[in-house]
Amino acid sequence: MGSADACLPYRDRPLDGPRRGPRRPSLDPLTSFPSPTRLPWSPTLNAAPADQIRLLDVQALDVRLSQLAHKRKTLPEHAEIETLNADHTQLRDLLIAAQTEESDTAREQTKAEQDVEQVRQRAARDQKRLDSGAVTSPKDLENLQHEIASLAKRQGDLEDVVLEVMERRESVQERAAELTERVESLQSKIADAISRRDAAAEGIDAEIATATKEREVIAGTIPADLLKLYDKLREQQGGVGAARLYQRSCDGCRQELAITELNEVRSAAPDTVLRCENCRRILVRTPESGL
């Protein structure tokens, strides 16, 4: 194998001997490896080491902002309020049904009482006729007495109906009162949970505002091209666009660099913006990089 191939990383060496072909053109430094040697950085993008370190500060703040957003979204009060609202809806439906039944029973009771009153008035008229002596015919007298007896039985039956309806109405009223109390209790619990949720959200929002302002300040000191690359990678890589090189491993993907990659990193200029070959994130050198 030729000396030129010996400089290539092991995985990029040809399997069937050296080949001499035209070099591929360099790719977009923001999205791709720049050359056939697949170096883990873009030679056209440079930034002072201090700027790269500050990029880690921005990354830490972005992680913090993501955590705060997740915390706000998953506040336990959200699930509590959802459960309470579901219970409230169910109880409210039961209360409406009980109130409707109570209203129907009240009308039924009113109708039964009116029937009793009608029979009572008719029986009173017949009794008055009987007591007045105006009816002299034995047959008419017998019929009148028979009707008074029938009306008395009818009145008794109707009064039993009234009592039965009143008992049902009383039972429905008790159930409606109980449901009303439970609904009001749930409403109180919902109001309390909402108050706690809003207070917690307010505290998180204050933290988000502070972190956002701090990020704006630090990001304003970072070169625009480096920040642009970082933001693009962060969007592509699940919120992490830059990671430190720590003890010869990328903190982004937790993969240890191969010896050839470490040698390339060691030989790179301090202001060269490195990229992890495994996860493609910006790789920032620090005193803990283990180089």
Side-chain angles (χ1 to χ4, degrees):
M1 186 175 294
S3 59
D5 294 325
C7 297
L8 291 174
Y10 178 79
R11 59 178 172 276
D12 292 325
R13 297 175 188 172
L15 299 179
D16 53 354
R19 296 178 180 176
R20 298 293 183 265
R23 284 183 174 271
R24 292 175 292 175
S26 297
L27 303 177
D28 182 358
L30 297 183
T31 58
S32 308
F33 289 109
S35 68
T37 57
R38 300 179 62 83
L39 296 176
W41 61 80
S42 168
T44 61
L45 182 58
N46 299 287
D51 291 334
Q52 297 187 44
I53 293 293
R54 282 194 291 273
L55 193 62
L56 292 179
D57 295 334
V58 171
Q59 177 65 82
L61 287 168
D62 282 334
V63 170
R64 178 60 178 159
L65 286 169
S66 295
Q67 292 172 340
L68 288 171
H70 177 75
K71 182 179 179 181
R72 193 185 196 285
K73 184 178 180 180
T74 58
L75 284 171
E77 288 78 9
H78 290 313
E80 180 183 358
I81 292 170
E82 184 177 354
T83 299
L84 289 172
N85 279 331
D87 292 343
H88 179 268
T89 298
Q90 183 179 13
L91 283 177
R92 185 187 58 192
D93 291 344
L94 291 174
L95 175 58
I96 291 174
Q99 290 172 336
T100 300
E101 184 179 355
E102 195 279 331
S103 178
D104 292 342
T105 308
R107 286 194 296 270
E108 186 178 353
Q109 179 181 339
T110 299
K111 176 64 169 59
E113 290 173 344
Q114 290 174 346
D115 291 342
V116 170
E117 183 61 23
Q118 289 177 357
V119 172
R120 182 183 293 114
Q121 291 177 2
R122 184 174 177 182
R125 288 196 301 268
D126 288 348
Q127 187 65 44
K128 186 177 180 179
R129 287 182 61 202
L130 181 63
D131 295 340
S132 67
V135 180
T136 57
S137 168
K139 184 176 181 180
D140 292 341
L141 185 61
E142 181 182 356
N143 289 338
L144 184 58
Q145 291 173 335
H146 179 73
E147 183 176 350
I148 291 174
S150 296
L151 289 174
K153 183 178 184 307
R154 175 62 175 164
Q155 180 178 333
D157 292 340
L158 289 175
E159 287 175 345
D160 289 341
V161 171
V162 171
L163 289 175
E164 187 272 331
V165 174
M166 288 177 64
E167 290 175 356
R168 282 194 287 114
R169 184 182 179 187
E170 182 179 353
S171 176
V172 173
Q173 287 174 330
E174 290 176 355
R175 185 164 72 252
E178 177 190 357
L179 288 170
T180 298
E181 184 177 348
R182 292 173 63 185
V183 167
E184 291 175 351
S185 176
L186 271 178
Q187 289 173 339
S188 178
K189 291 179 180 179
I190 291 171
D192 176 68
I194 290 175
S195 178
R196 287 186 280 109
R197 179 202 63 189
D198 292 346
E202 184 178 353
I204 294 173
D205 288 343
E207 292 186 63
I208 290 175
T210 299
T212 300
K213 182 62 177 178
E214 186 176 352
R215 185 194 191 279
E216 291 175 356
V217 172
I218 298 176
T221 67
I222 297 175
D225 52 355
L226 178 61
L227 192 62
K228 179 180 179 182
L229 173 60
Y230 162 76
D231 286 334
K232 186 168 186 176
L233 291 173
R234 184 167 65 90
E235 181 179 351
Q236 296 173 348
Q237 299 291 343
V240 179
R244 65 174 179 165
L245 176 60
Y246 179 73
Q247 296 298 316
R248 304 183 180 183
S249 295
C250 170
D251 256 1
C253 60
R254 306 296 181 182
Q255 292 293 318
E256 184 175 353
L257 273 64
I259 186 64
T260 54
E261 297 169 342
L262 286 173
N263 289 334
E264 291 166 353
V265 170
R266 292 187 183 105
S267 64
D271 65 346
T272 300
V273 176
L274 305 181
R275 300 278 294 278
C276 174
E277 281 203 41
N278 183 64
C279 67
R280 302 294 293 123
R281 295 179 174 95
I282 297 172
L283 199 59
V284 180
R285 288 164 286 181
T286 71
E288 295 82 21
S289 293
L291 299 176

